[in-house]
Structures are given as structure tokens and as C-alpha cells.
Amino acid sequence: MALSLIAEQKSIKSLFLNDDKYIIPNYQRKYSWKYEQCKQLYDDIIHAFEDKDSYFIGNLVLAVGAKDDEYEVVDGQQRMITIWLFLHAISVLFPSMPKIRRMLLIDSWESKEGQKDECKITSRVFEANDNEQLMEIYNLDFPAYTTLVNLYDLSGEGQFVADKGQMIANAVAIYKILNEYFCRISDIEKKEFFENFVGKVYLLPIILRDQDVDA
């Protein structure tokens, strides 16, 4: 087998508004970004929006899986999951915009009884409950976020005093700081922020695919 490589800069919308599924393989380390890294990403995104500019987050390395619409995240899972956390918080803060929710999940093609939509990202990391945290966040709504924001204190150093896991702590922190920012801007600016976030924040996915030498 030969290895083909494709690299093309894509917006968050291009990466998430589709039926592609991203899988964190079992050999990867667990999600480990702390509050400071999430806050830095937030600051960079806000500055880009207020400066009417685009923003490049970094690279992703994706390997095509068993199906053409499944990708293993070889490198960049911290960025990808954190972007998904931002999208989820925005979807709860903007329930009137169903397009945002569509970026979090893969719609079921069949409306069978008990058939559920799938989360856009699945973690298969050993010795970690990352996938359980993803699913818990996936099911959070406005009252649940509000409860968690009130339950977990944010210390002066920006760390949540929580025992539910780093991913959930980051999800609540992101929701809190986005909510505080949205309270300071107009509805028109909120919509502009979302369009800037999904349309002018970019990553560079490097896609790896096995290919027959004789093909």
C-alpha cells in the first residue's frame, strides 16, 4: 500500500457541517487541555472577530478510516475537541439557530425507533472516560449548564474546582466566558460572531489515505 496525502485549509464550517465522523483512536492520550489553553483560544478568536480578521488555529492530521466519511484523528485532538466544546456552548446560547446543532452531530438517515443521532466526535482512548464526558456534554442544555456554572467555582487562577473531568470543566468554562461576552454585545454582533467563528477560523487538515501502488 502507498500513502497519499492531501492538505487543504478549511474553516470550522467545512470541517463540521457535514456527515464526517471524527474518531480519537485508542492509542491516543486522553484529552488534557487546561483552562488556560481554552481561554487563550477564546481570546484569540475574540480578537480576530473584533479586528474583522481571520484566524488560523493549527494543523490536524487525519487518517481515512474504514469508511470514507470516518477519520481517525492522528494529531490535533485537543484542538478538535475544544472547538467542538465551543460549538456546543454556542448551540445552547443560540437555540434559534439549528445549523449550529447540526455541526455537533451526525443525523441518522433512518427514523427507526430508538435510532439516535451520533456525536460528531467519538473517543476510543484507553484508560480514560473521554467519550463518557463527550456524551454528557452533548446532552447538556441551558438549565444543566446554568447548574454547573453555579456549582463550580472559578478560582483566581481560572481553574474549576470540579471532579467530573477536565473536558466537562472546560465545557463549563467556555460556556461561562462566552455567555458573559454575549451579554455585552448586540444580537446582530452575536450573529456576526458566529458567522466569523465558523467561517473565518481555519485549520489545516492533513488527510492520510492508504492507496494501492498499482492503482
Side-chain angles (χ1 to χ4, degrees), residues 174-185:
I174 289 167
Y175 177 87
K176 177 181 172 65
I177 57 181
L178 278 174
N179 187 38
E180 290 172 350
Y181 179 70
F182 290 156
C183 287
R184 300 195 300 269
I185 62 177

Side-chain angles (χ1 to χ4, degrees), residues 43-57:
D43 288 340
D44 292 342
I45 290 168
I46 294 297
H47 290 154
F49 167 61
E50 292 179 344
D51 292 342
K52 309 297 182 185
D53 202 357
S54 59
Y55 176 61
F56 177 69
I57 295 180

Side-chain angles (χ1 to χ4, degrees), residues 61-114:
V61 180
L62 306 173
V64 177
K67 301 177 182 178
D68 285 342
D69 58 355
E70 287 187 357
Y71 297 90
E72 287 194 351
V73 182
V74 179
D75 186 53
Q77 68 141 318
Q78 309 292 329
R79 295 187 190 97
M80 176 156 277
I81 290 177
T82 304
I83 290 167
W84 187 91
L85 298 180
F86 272 88
L87 286 169
H88 190 276
I90 295 170
S91 76
V92 175
L93 292 167
F94 287 101
S96 60
M97 296 178 68
K99 181 169 66 172
I100 311 174
R101 190 72 182 174
R102 176 69 181 79
M103 299 174 75
L104 299 169
L105 53 84
I106 302 169
D107 289 327
S108 171
W109 283 89
E110 300 178 18
S111 57
K112 294 180 180 178
E113 186 177 353

Side-chain angles (χ1 to χ4, degrees), residues 155-172:
S155 75
E157 297 180 353
Q159 292 295 328
F160 272 93
V161 182
D163 59 1
K164 280 181 167 289
Q166 189 63 50
M167 197 185 301
I168 291 176
N170 287 353
V172 178

Side-chain angles (χ1 to χ4, degrees), residues 23-35:
I23 298 169
I24 313 299
N26 53 25
Y27 57 79
Q28 288 281 17
R29 62 191 178 122
K30 67 180 182 179
Y31 178 78
S32 60
W33 266 23
K34 298 295 192 287
Y35 172 83

